[in-house]
Amino acid sequence: MTDRLKSLNKGRSFHYMKLLACGFLFVIFSGFNLYSQNILEDTLGVSDANLLFKQQALGGLTAHTEGWGFFFRRAKIVNIYRKIFWEAEAVTMHDEHEYKMADANDPNATPYYFGKLNGMEALRLGVGVSQMLWRKNDLSCTQVDVVYAAGASIAILKPVYLDIIPSSPAGNDLPVAQIYDPNNDTPANIYGRASVFDGLGQLKFYPGAYGRAGLNFDFSNRHQLVKAFEIGVVADAYSTVIPMMAFAKNNQVFVNLYVSFSLGKRWAE
């Protein structure tokens, strides 16, 4: 009889412990829901705690190991952990062998890159996925996402024009803007860089593709705003070798590290 009473008392104690644990969890989740609702009310000005963002748009500046540019990105928010986006980006592309020179005899002469055949811009248009790695549990925290994107890349080349000093017995001819000819033009007859508008009517286009992978850090202190920087690697591959330099090996594939800063917003449909 004594053992049976002990067993009944033990069962009742366990039952009371379960009720206490359930009550404790109820209080914790109630407080969490109230806290989440307060965040939404403070930041969004609404009382609907179930409100979810569905769209996001942002733009900004980017710099990579061979140039700089700007970009725009529009995303559909699938859930709080995943976004699907499309992006457009335009960046300058330089060659690692570029060497800037200037006419030492005339301080007014504009500097130029000796041996550079074409200036290059890359225009990218693609789609990607952003997957959350570290959630922003507090407005003072930083959210970390991993970003993947791929799409079309078009290399736009403009021939380099230089101010060339014509050979003349008098030696007093004014410089003339001409396309740089590596077979005939040397630092001895190059005065400097011509106008950036020279050669706009002679653009050439080279199709290709690109891919990127990076980490995005959103440190905005408001849920509906985006303030982020991103670091990663981006690669462009084209259908043929891009003729940028005269006295160096030209590339068909360009791989660069990049960092970008962006501002934007989120909203519900």
Side-chain angles (χ1 to χ4, degrees):
M1 180 66 67
T2 303
D3 294 338
R4 185 177 181 183
L5 289 175
K6 288 183 179 180
S7 177
L8 288 174
N9 290 333
K10 186 176 181 181
R12 290 173 183 173
S13 299
F14 182 72
H15 179 68
Y16 292 147
M17 290 178 64
K18 288 196 298 181
L19 291 177
L20 182 62
C22 291
F24 179 75
L25 291 175
F26 176 78
V27 172
I28 292 296
F29 283 119
S30 297
F32 177 78
N33 290 334
L34 180 60
Y35 175 71
S36 301
Q37 181 174 349
N38 289 336
I39 288 180
L40 287 172
E41 290 177 354
D42 292 340
T43 58
L44 302 177
V46 298
S47 58
D48 184 6
N50 294 318
L51 176 63
L52 295 176
F53 295 109
K54 296 296 183 180
Q55 303 290 335
Q56 176 177 289
L58 57 87
L61 298 175
T62 182
H64 60 91
T65 45
E66 297 297 342
W68 67 277
F70 55 92
F71 69 97
F72 176 80
R73 189 177 286 175
R74 175 68 183 271
K76 178 181 179 181
I77 302 176
V78 179
N79 52 52
I80 62 174
Y81 301 103
R82 188 179 180 86
K83 306 179 188 75
I84 299 175
F85 63 85
W86 65 266
E87 65 179 4
E89 184 175 30
V91 296
T92 61
M93 299 287 282
H94 294 277
D95 190 277
E96 59 181 359
H97 301 100
E98 291 181 2
Y99 178 72
K100 185 175 287 188
M101 301 180 62
D103 189 345
N105 299 319
D106 191 341
N108 296 321
T110 55
Y112 63 96
Y113 293 104
F114 180 71
K116 186 171 183 177
L117 297 171
N118 294 283
M120 176 180 171
E121 312 284 334
L123 180 62
R124 304 182 182 121
L125 182 62
V127 295
V129 175
S130 177
Q131 185 72 34
M132 182 188 298
L133 290 180
W134 186 271
R135 186 176 180 182
K136 184 197 293 282
N137 293 320
D138 186 86
L139 289 177
S140 61
C141 297
T142 298
Q143 178 174 310
V144 182
D145 293 0
V146 60
V147 176
Y148 303 100
S153 178
I154 300 176
I156 305 173
L157 269 63
K158 183 176 79 71
V160 171
Y161 272 71
L162 299 176
D163 285 333
I164 305 298
I165 301 174
S167 58
S168 169
N172 56 359
D173 290 329
L174 296 176
V176 178
Q178 296 179 359
I179 293 180
Y180 167 65
D181 183 356
N183 297 318
N184 298 315
D185 298 328
T186 67
N189 73 326
I190 298 175
Y191 179 73
R193 185 182 69 253
S195 170
V196 295
F197 299 103
D198 291 325
L200 286 179
Q202 300 168 283
L203 299 179
K204 294 183 179 180
F205 302 88
Y206 295 81
Y210 83 96
R212 80 165 74 247
L215 292 175
N216 186 278
F217 301 84
D218 183 0
F219 56 94
S220 173
N221 59 0
R222 299 181 66 183
H223 286 294
Q224 72 271 35
L225 297 182
V226 180
K227 186 187 297 183
F229 70 90
E230 186 173 306
I231 58 174
V233 60
V234 57
D236 298 87
Y238 298 100
S239 57
T240 186
V241 173
I242 305 299
M244 293 181 65
M245 302 296 295
F247 306 114
K249 181 181 178 181
N250 289 297
N251 299 316
Q252 187 173 355
V253 178
F254 300 81
V255 180
N256 288 289
L257 300 176
Y258 74 91
V259 58
S260 65
F261 175 76
S262 59
L263 295 173
K265 67 175 184 177
R266 304 181 184 95
W267 67 93
E269 288 182 337

